[in-house]
Amino acid sequence: MNDILKKMKRRGRRIVALTCYDYLSARLLDDAGVDVILVGDSLGMVVFGRDSTMAVSIDEIVHHVRAVKAGVRNALLWADLPLCSLKKGVKKAVEEARQLIKAGAVAVKVEGGVARVPLVKAMAAANIPAVGHIGLTPQFADRLGGYRLQGKTSQEALKIVADARALEKAGVTAVVLEVVPEQLACYLTTRLSIPTIGIGAGKGCDGQIMVQHDMLGIYWYVAGKKAPKFLKEYAHLADVISSAVANYSGQVRRGTYPGRKQTYRLKRSDWLVVETALESQCQKRRPGGAVSRRKQNR
Ligand code: KIV
């Protein structure tokens, strides 16, 4: 299934990828023809409101993979292996990667380069397709000097190239390049046989990926943080959502929602029948006309 992407690379057809965490968005993305849908560990930030992706658990990703899978018809569904799984060692990490496949993913993305080779090989042996993720790997941002451009110096660039080559040799089906200079991304894209998917890596990659809530203009606005340079908002849904909610709140408070159009009403004659039945039931219950509980239960 992941061979589709290699074919796209060979044919020069750019790969469109987006993150997703729920059924309805999955339906929309899939219907719009997105090639790859990733249940990323960015869900720690955009769904759970945490400061980083580091504490995301395998159960959280599995839960969202199931939701997204329900809405995917044609796209390839990838899922992130969270940092918590990587920390448990190769054997356990493979078991947890398998949980993602069972939940509906067709490939599992792992952050890190040369250090991930034993895991990628073990995943291949267990028939679990792996996707690499190098450059700025958010799970290890603290070791990389924060969320900053990677591969600026020859030494850093050499390491990224070595990471990419090692992952390719170990059998990854594609590699995500995050926040690296455009020239380095082009260098890798023309030298690797596997597709490169860029995020903050310029337009020379075989495809692009973005966090859905970033490109829809929700996350950075709500988080009140400065968006990264590579981000482009294709909509500003934060405003659309805020004004719809303000409108609804105003109408509820003024009593103009629900209006006649949104209300179920019986014909006057039908309501009279129902009302009479309700009233006579009430009268039986009143002291004097009350029905005993034993009688009611019969
Ligand atoms: O978790 C995520 O959303 C990702 C993408 C940004 C590539 O890893």
Side-chain angles (χ1 to χ4, degrees):
M1 220 180 181
N2 287 296
D3 284 351
I4 295 169
L5 300 183
K6 272 198 179 169
K7 245 186 230 161
M8 288 177 76
K9 175 178 176 109
R10 282 198 299 272
R11 291 180 184 161
R13 272 195 54 208
R14 290 209 172 86
I15 299 159
V16 178
L18 272 175
T19 69
C20 186
Y21 319 97
D22 66 281
Y23 163 75
L24 287 178
S25 306
R27 286 290 307 272
L28 291 171
L29 267 48
D30 195 85
D31 287 352
V34 167
D35 302 302
V36 174
I37 291 180
L38 167 71
V39 179
D41 60 2
S42 49
L43 77 86
M45 297 168 84
V46 299
V47 176
F48 291 100
R50 300 180 194 136
D51 280 342
S52 79
T53 61
M54 289 174 199
V56 172
S57 71
I58 188 70
D59 292 346
E60 286 169 344
I61 306 252
V62 164
H63 183 75
H64 286 269
V65 169
R66 288 201 188 111
V68 171
K69 170 70 185 166
V72 170
R73 307 277 184 272
N74 299 306
L76 296 177
L77 175 54
W78 291 355
D80 260 347
L81 193 65
L83 180 60
C84 297
S85 305
L86 292 181
K87 282 182 175 166
K88 292 176 189 162
V90 168
K91 194 162 173 260
K92 191 83 183 127
V94 172
E95 280 170 27
E96 298 197 347
R98 194 189 306 283
Q99 290 184 41
L100 297 171
I101 300 290
K102 278 192 182 151
V106 297
V108 175
K109 178 164 78 58
V110 292
E111 290 190 18
V114 173
R116 292 289 92 77
V117 165
L119 174 59
V120 171
K121 284 186 174 167
M123 284 167 67
N127 255 324
I128 301 172
V131 173
H133 183 162
I134 55 176
L136 172 53
T137 45
Q139 293 176 357
F140 304 100
D142 45 356
R143 290 190 210 163
L144 299 171
Y147 296 88
R148 64 162 193 86
L149 182 66
Q150 303 294 309
K152 266 198 297 194
T153 63
S154 322
Q155 203 186 0
E156 277 182 14
L158 279 167
K159 185 183 171 316
I160 290 171
V161 171
D163 283 340
R165 290 205 187 285
L167 288 171
E168 178 183 43
K169 202 161 161 233
V172 295
T173 56
V175 65
V176 170
L177 304 176
E178 180 160 353
V179 189
V180 297
E182 179 177 45
Q183 299 93 325
L184 178 58
C186 285
Y187 180 92
L188 283 170
T189 302
T190 51
R191 281 161 181 84
L192 295 174
S193 62
I194 50 170
T196 58
I197 314 288
I199 171 163
K203 63 178 176 193
C205 295
D206 296 305
Q208 299 290 330
I209 187 161
M210 271 230 248
V211 171
Q212 189 196 135
H213 294 63
D214 289 355
M215 60 87 76
L216 293 179
I218 309 176
Y219 179 72
W220 296 95
Y221 174 80
V222 176
K225 294 180 191 162
K226 189 175 175 285
K229 175 185 165 73
F230 66 79
L231 176 68
K232 180 168 177 185
E233 286 188 358
Y234 286 82
H236 195 66
L237 287 199
D239 279 350
V240 176
I241 294 170
S242 298
S243 82
V245 173
N247 198 1
Y248 164 72
S249 307
Q251 294 199 353
V252 169
R253 289 183 183 124
R254 285 191 303 276
T256 53
Y257 176 83
R260 229 181 149 74
K261 254 182 152 176
Q262 297 89 26
T263 302
Y264 305 95
R265 253 187 104 73
L266 293 183
K267 274 197 302 196
R268 200 176 146 65
S269 54
D270 291 347
W271 170 240
L272 264 175
V273 174
V274 175
E275 193 181 32
T276 309
L278 292 175
E279 285 300 318
S280 78
Q281 184 76 297
C282 265
Q283 282 194 347
K284 281 188 206 151
R285 288 221 176 89
R286 266 186 217 129
V291 189
S292 80
R293 193 155 287 286
R294 262 174 77 207
K295 233 178 180 178
Q296 272 182 28
N297 287 344
R298 249 185 256 143

